[in-house]
Amino acid sequence: MEDISERMRRIVSFTNPFKYISAGENTYHPTRNPKGIISFALAQNRLCGDLMLEQVKKLDLSECDGAALLQYQDIRGMPAFRKAIADFLKDYTNSPQDIDPDKIRVCNGLTALTEVMAFILCDERDTILSPSPLYSGIVKDTGRRPNVNLHPIHLSSKPGAEGEEPYTLTVEHLERGYQEATQQGKRVRVLSLVNPLNPLGTVYTKPQIREYLQFAKRHNLHVLLDEIYLCSVYDQTKPFCSVLSLREDEIPDLNRTHFMWSFSKDFCFNASKCGVLYSWNEKVLEAATVLIDYHTVSSLIQITLTQILQNKEWLHNVYFKTCHERLREARDITMVTLDEMGVAYIKPTAGFYIWADFSKFLGASTHAEEKSLCCHLLSCGVMILVSAGFYGNEPGWFRVLFCNPKPELEEGLKRLKEGCLSYKPGTGSAIADDLAGDLANDLAGDLADVEILGASGESLESLVRSFKVSLQNSDWLKENTSDMWRNENPEVSETWIKELEKNPPE
Amino acid sequence: MEDISERMRRIVSFTNPFKYISAGENTYHPTRNPKGIISFALAQNRLCGDLMLEQVKKLDLSECDGAALLQYQDIRGMPAFRKAIADFLKDYTNSPQDIDPDKIRVCNGLTALTEVMAFILCDERDTILSPSPLYSGIVKDTGRRPNVNLHPIHLSSKPGAEGEEPYTLTVEHLERGYQEATQQGKRVRVLSLVNPLNPLGTVYTKPQIREYLQFAKRHNLHVLLDEIYLCSVYDQTKPFCSVLSLREDEIPDLNRTHFMWSFSKDFCFNASKCGVLYSWNEKVLEAATVLIDYHTVSSLIQITLTQILQNKEWLHNVYFKTCHERLREARDITMVTLDEMGVAYIKPTAGFYIWADFSKFLGASTHAEEKSLCCHLLSCGVMILVSAGFYGNEPGWFRVLFCNPKPELEEGLKRLKEGCLSYKPGTGSAIADDLAGDLANDLAGDLADVEILGASGESLESLVRSFKVSLQNSDWLKENTSDMWRNENPEVSETWIKELEKNPPE
């Protein structure tokens, strides 16, 4: 009998296109490790954490009694917390109606909430429709344990026939995607929309949202709106429309419309692990209450976040104001470098990144080549995410995060620029695919929003395992080119060698 | 198409034998609601929360930087936290070897961890073996989403043939249970042991643990040890043996032995939502890392608990010392009342409750009758849990929690005594089963460790729904006996009537 169950073996092997990765012990630090890897990958806003940190440190527990702090709480979320969230969402979405705290459920993170919603809305092998490039965390979270499929609707980086902007999602796209999926025998249950969009950093307009909701109603689909960057719209040139900003009578199928948000991105508080569901559907809410028994949020975090939410003046006039300024500035700095490099991009108005076209540096328009470039960039000390990680079908588009502190951002952009210019098409791929196939995937291929591991680098261990298998099987190694590669990549290989010493090849 | 998936409908309907319940708006409070219901049901240690509260309030975030507090953390648990847990477990289990932080995973609560382990160790409809009476949360947590069956091995309240103490689990019991299950076509994968035992409040000895582990090895079973009351052994007359106190070479199948603990009970911190796994199995640990992506613990809680764990002096000389004294005192007070009532019980040495035999008050030895008595007690203002809630097969055994503040404990015991004496066999059952079948189940029948809901009382709403259905279908009501019952039970009926006004019968 195996150590773990059959279903768990499937879940563990559900690695593509998402792998855990970190720069391991080689993470950049301005003084402690200035040659370490700068991550333009992990979607954390490190520009405004200083403000939030100060606020979290003001946590005041003096008024708390044991019942509130220590004992079992309302499983849906503490009443004061749900009330504070309701007020906050009403303000920040300009909701024309009150947000009802009883329609809110809190859950330990949007990752967990996405999984919960997949269980609630879908049976195994049901299908979720999603425009692409897409935030691939959804594929992982709905695919692993809930065993739900995602059907991507590929959009184009070219402007539309009628002059639409690149990547514009039309109802025709949705209808075509739906027909395609159903013709393949798939049962489509959900339309997934991320707004503001990840990885594009753009937003849907109110007429668009309305059209999408109508499309969903026609096909009896649930609409799952992930609005995790709701308050990270830093440039109002294009108006953002939360689904909560619609009047209830404007929403075609209230019962199948579900809103999700979290404190991770907008509050620079990824480690708070607190996601929020808002739904009008009583059965969904009841089901969510059952499942979040397994995804509860500690009272301490609920109390902390309540206090921050109640500091409305600070949130509005200090925090978000500063955040938006800093995000705008960092975007602009990044755009300057991309312009200098002659790299085209989608100008974002929200989120933490720019979706940019590095295809001109590739030798061929393949995902292998984009991985190869990405591997090379990594050896130059900067990590970005490639189109394959977002189910993009146009190789060479990368998501470049810009939420690093300014000196780190500038250093990273310098490395990015130099790395692209020094790249010889195909060579990174040789490093990657020949040396250690899986390693290349892990390092560069199929990354999206990934959870970071500790400095001891569990992911690195798994990379090393792949590396060892490749070492044993490779003819290429017999030709001693690993030494060559080591000489060319001293930083990266040093880390690996250290790991290899800890985990010698069996 | 239904609002929720087929699997979710199954999960939501997985209500027996566990229902969410609270005393709703009618929870006892010494000054605000002295006539409210005193709960001797929910397994919270409310005797020592004052000490822990003081400690939590000392939380010092001054040294924390943004990376530790705000950003993504090692998914297995922050390294400093796992190190502190490892030290703590070594001390409190007298582990002969070091506890390896890399074999620890933290997870938002033992409820969630139990579910995670069911996914990891079992496929759907696999079977878990467990001695009974048992902590029925395990049935819920493994049965709902993981869809795993539990096969109880019923033990007897009578002393064994060879003079063994009541409820002694022998290897013969285990072998018989295993054969029984496999003959029924069940695939047994796991032996579940809770030690200290819930609801018995007793402990397994070292020779017993060794025998159980050997039995499991013979059948290639995983052993899942829930030691959540590890530090709540307040009476050392019988020595407690954690599985971690065995030498590794004494554990027959290290790879299939898994330890679980949490901060809920021993730290009086149910709302911390932090459970701990310790396993020697690399595959299980790897799988756990994948799944706890959905069951993460916020950095804030990890930092808080780390600080408390590091205060070793206080934990040892103040906290646990006082806790054990108070638990012992509360147990002794409760035993005096039970003795006065002539109620037999198993004398506990650990945990928060006494397992006691109220069968002499029953009209017949049936679970319906025990529910009936329980309903009657509820109308007398005290809530206890019945044997059916623990898969017990001897009606009339109740689990009586004693962890309430002393005046509340004494008032509750008074009500318990008077309630038993004033009970007329069958009448509670009439109230319960005739008036509102499900209601009786909810209120008295099948309760175990239940999560409390908010004052707005979602569970109460669900009770009221059941109540309404019964109202509409009942002949009994035509005879106007509901008025009679109302007169006899003014407190309870008033709450219901209030709820009925909010949710009028359709």
Side-chain angles (χ1 to χ4, degrees), chain A residues 45 48-49 52-53 56 88 92 228 231-232 261-270 272 305 308-309 314-315 319-320 323 352, chain B residues 70:
Chain A
N45 181 354
C48 312
M52 189 51 72
L53 183 65
V56 175
F88 172 79
Y92 284 83
I228 196 169
C231 304
S232 299
W261 177 77
S262 132
F263 289 84
S264 297
K265 312 298 181 192
D266 290 338
F267 279 52
C268 300
F269 203 171
N270 297 70
S272 65
L305 296 174
I308 296 172
L309 286 172
W314 175 83
L315 271 183
Y319 179 71
F320 285 122
C323 267
F352 300 167
Chain B
L70 304 179

Side-chain angles (χ1 to χ4, degrees), chain A residues 1-8 11-12 20 42-44 46 49-50 52-53 56-57 59 61-66 68-76 102 105 108 111-112 115-116 118-124 140-141 144-148 187-189 220 222 255-256 264-265 268-273 281 283-284 286-291 293-301 304 449-454 456-458 461 465, chain B residues 1-8 11-12 20 42-44 46 49-50 52-53 56-57 59 61-66 68-76 102 105 108 111-112 115-116 118-124 140-141 144-148 187-189 220 222 255-256 265 268-273 281 283-284 286-291 293-301 304 449-458 465:
Chain A
M1 209 176 276
E2 293 285 337
D3 282 342
I4 62 173
S5 66
E6 206 174 308
R7 62 177 164 193
M8 200 59 222
I11 292 167
V12 170
Y20 293 97
L42 199 66
Q44 300 194 110
R46 290 171 55 220
D50 56 332
M52 189 51 72
L53 183 65
V56 175
K57 286 185 175 179
L59 172 62
L61 298 175
S62 59
E63 298 295 308
C64 287
D65 62 13
L69 196 51
L70 304 179
Q71 295 172 23
Y72 284 123
Q73 300 304 322
D74 188 329
I75 210 163
R76 298 166 296 179
D102 284 345
R105 295 291 179 276
N108 74 322
T111 293
E115 200 208 41
V116 162
F119 274 112
I120 293 177
L121 304 179
C122 300
D123 283 296
E124 288 203 55
K140 169 175 73 69
D141 301 333
R144 267 179 180 171
R145 188 158 52 171
N147 202 5
V148 167
R187 183 167 71 161
V188 183
R189 296 295 290 265
N220 287 323
H222 287 272
N255 226 27
R256 288 206 179 84
S264 297
K265 312 298 181 192
C268 300
F269 203 171
N270 297 70
S272 65
K273 305 312 295 178
N281 186 316
K283 281 192 184 168
V284 168
E286 184 192 349
T289 307
V290 169
L291 283 191
D293 198 4
Y294 305 98
H295 304 279
T296 41
V297 179
S298 72
S299 57
L300 186 60
I301 267 291
T304 306
D449 260 302
V450 285
E451 291 80 349
I452 209 154
L453 288 169
S456 68
E458 186 166 43
E461 283 162 33
R465 273 198 298 279
Chain B
M1 212 176 274
E2 293 285 337
D3 282 340
I4 63 174
S5 66
E6 206 174 309
R7 62 178 162 192
M8 199 60 222
I11 292 166
V12 171
Y20 293 97
L42 200 66
Q44 301 194 111
R46 290 171 57 220
D50 57 332
M52 189 51 72
L53 183 66
V56 176
K57 285 186 175 180
L59 171 64
L61 298 175
S62 59
E63 298 295 307
C64 289
D65 62 11
L69 196 52
L70 304 179
Q71 294 172 24
Y72 284 123
Q73 300 304 323
D74 188 330
I75 210 163
R76 300 164 295 178
D102 284 345
R105 297 292 178 272
N108 75 323
T111 293
E115 201 208 39
V116 162
F119 274 111
I120 293 177
L121 305 179
C122 301
D123 284 297
E124 288 204 55
K140 168 176 75 69
D141 301 334
R144 268 180 180 169
R145 189 158 51 170
N147 202 7
V148 167
R187 183 169 70 162
V188 183
R189 297 295 289 265
N220 287 323
H222 288 273
N255 226 26
R256 287 205 179 86
K265 312 298 182 193
C268 300
F269 203 172
N270 298 70
S272 65
K273 305 311 296 177
N281 187 316
K283 282 194 184 169
V284 167
E286 184 193 350
T289 307
V290 169
L291 283 191
D293 199 5
Y294 304 98
H295 303 280
T296 42
V297 178
S298 72
S299 56
L300 187 59
I301 268 290
T304 306
D449 259 302
V450 286
E451 292 81 349
I452 210 153
L453 288 167
S456 68
E458 188 167 41
R465 274 199 297 280

Side-chain angles (χ1 to χ4, degrees), chain A residues 114-172:
Chain A
T114 302
E115 200 208 41
V116 162
M117 292 306 283
F119 274 112
I120 293 177
L121 304 179
C122 300
D123 283 296
E124 288 203 55
R125 285 173 290 277
D126 277 351
T127 291
I128 294 178
L129 215 57
S130 171
S132 145
L134 58 84
Y135 163 59
S136 54
I138 293 168
V139 186
K140 169 175 73 69
D141 301 333
T142 62
R144 267 179 180 171
R145 188 158 52 171
N147 202 5
V148 167
N149 299 314
L150 193 133
H151 187 90
I153 300 172
H154 292 295
L155 301 177
S156 169
S157 65
K158 307 284 175 298
E162 315 203 359
E164 297 96 347
E165 294 192 0
Y167 296 112
T168 298
L169 175 68
T170 64
V171 170
E172 291 66 42

Side-chain angles (χ1 to χ4, degrees), chain A residues 2 11 36 41 75 84 96 124 167 199 259 303 308 384-385 428 431 460 469 477 481 487:
Chain A
E2 293 285 337
I11 292 167
I75 210 163
E124 288 203 55
Y167 296 112
F259 163 94
I303 290 166
I308 296 172
I384 60 176
L385 300 182
I431 294 168
L460 212 51
V469 172
L477 261 190
T481 37
N487 292 333

